[in-house]
Amino acid sequence: GENVEQHPSTLSVQEGDSAVIKCTYSDSASNYFPWYKQELGKGPQLIIDIRSNVGEKKDQRIAVTLNKTAKHFSLHITETQPEDSAVYFCAASTGANSKLTFGKGITLSVRP
Amino acid sequence: EAEVAQSPRYKITEKSQAVAFWCDPISGHATLYWYRQILGQGPELLVQFQDESVVDDSQLPKDRFSAERLKGVDSTLKIQPAELGDSAMYLCASSPGPEYEQFFGPGTRLTVL
């Protein structure tokens, strides 16, 4: 089955700097890659996603890039703010029945 | 903005007791998922429904866990008997269909003593 790995497990940046979180996946059939943000005591919130027919997608300060050949995708957050501090999960799905396989998450801390 | 509702938000129970969690998906969402999230880990799928039918329950421990979505709307996840290792966050998610984005509820935090 699919295996999704995230690295690093923690990331600390200064407010205003950029943050990049990387994920790798194992199943070449995966074609849908969402990113979720989870704040303490809350459920995961979808922040951006990308499908395998595009290489990059942007939404304001957030972007996701996909490299199908290398089987990795990355979340880019520019001009980070303290409210960006949370746990970020990447996931992958083959589309068939849409089962999502999640990574273990990365804790992002933005220092004021 | 429509949201997935879950209750209770917190549940403390003793091992060997029965517990039940309820989920009300976003109106019109045909696909419903139950995930378990152990502290420090990502969510893991327990069961997926398409309308009232189970699509995937391969990771559901069927000797103690059961899930139903009788009318294809809200859903209940039950554990009987609960074990210490069941302590986790139980998340419900819904989507308009199996190839659309999933929206998560706030979860039920279960503690088994």
Side-chain angles (χ1 to χ4, degrees), chain A residues 41-83:
Chain A
K42 297 184 179 180
Q45 178 187 10
L46 179 71
I47 56 172
I48 196 167
D49 57 9
I50 192 168
R51 297 189 184 269
S52 60
N53 57 345
V54 298
E56 182 176 3
K57 183 177 179 180
K58 290 183 179 180
D59 183 3
Q60 300 181 338
R61 297 188 296 111
I62 294 173
V64 55
T65 58
L66 171 64
N67 184 326
K68 290 175 58 180
T69 302
K71 289 191 283 189
H72 69 71
F73 56 112
S74 299
L75 177 70
H76 305 253
I77 306 174
T78 59
E79 302 174 11
T80 54
Q81 302 167 3
E83 50 265 39

Side-chain angles (χ1 to χ4, degrees), chain B residues 4-112:
Chain B
V4 176
Q6 290 189 246
S7 67
R9 292 294 311 278
Y10 304 92
K11 179 69 178 178
I12 300 174
T13 191
E14 294 184 343
K15 62 180 181 179
S16 80
Q17 296 298 303
V19 292
F21 313 131
W22 177 79
C23 172
D24 191 13
I26 294 171
S27 178
H29 281 196
T31 312
L32 184 147
Y33 312 82
W34 283 102
Y35 289 86
R36 177 170 59 186
Q37 184 178 24
I38 296 170
L39 194 62
Q41 302 288 322
E44 293 181 321
L45 181 69
L46 291 174
V47 61
Q48 177 183 342
F49 289 92
Q50 182 64 30
D51 299 309
E52 67 276 7
S53 300
V54 173
V55 173
D56 184 351
D57 63 356
S58 58
Q59 300 303 310
L60 188 70
K62 299 180 188 64
D63 57 334
R64 298 184 301 108
F65 286 65
S66 64
E68 60 183 17
R69 194 185 184 198
L70 295 177
K71 296 183 179 179
V73 180
D74 58 338
S75 175
T76 302
L77 178 69
K78 297 179 181 178
I79 308 175
Q80 182 174 18
E83 296 181 352
L84 296 177
D86 296 332
S87 294
M89 174 80 88
Y90 290 83
L91 294 161
C92 179
S94 71
S95 67
E99 295 199 18
Y100 292 83
E101 53 267 38
Q102 298 181 25
F103 297 89
F104 282 81
T108 296
R109 169 71 67 187
L110 173 67
T111 301
V112 182

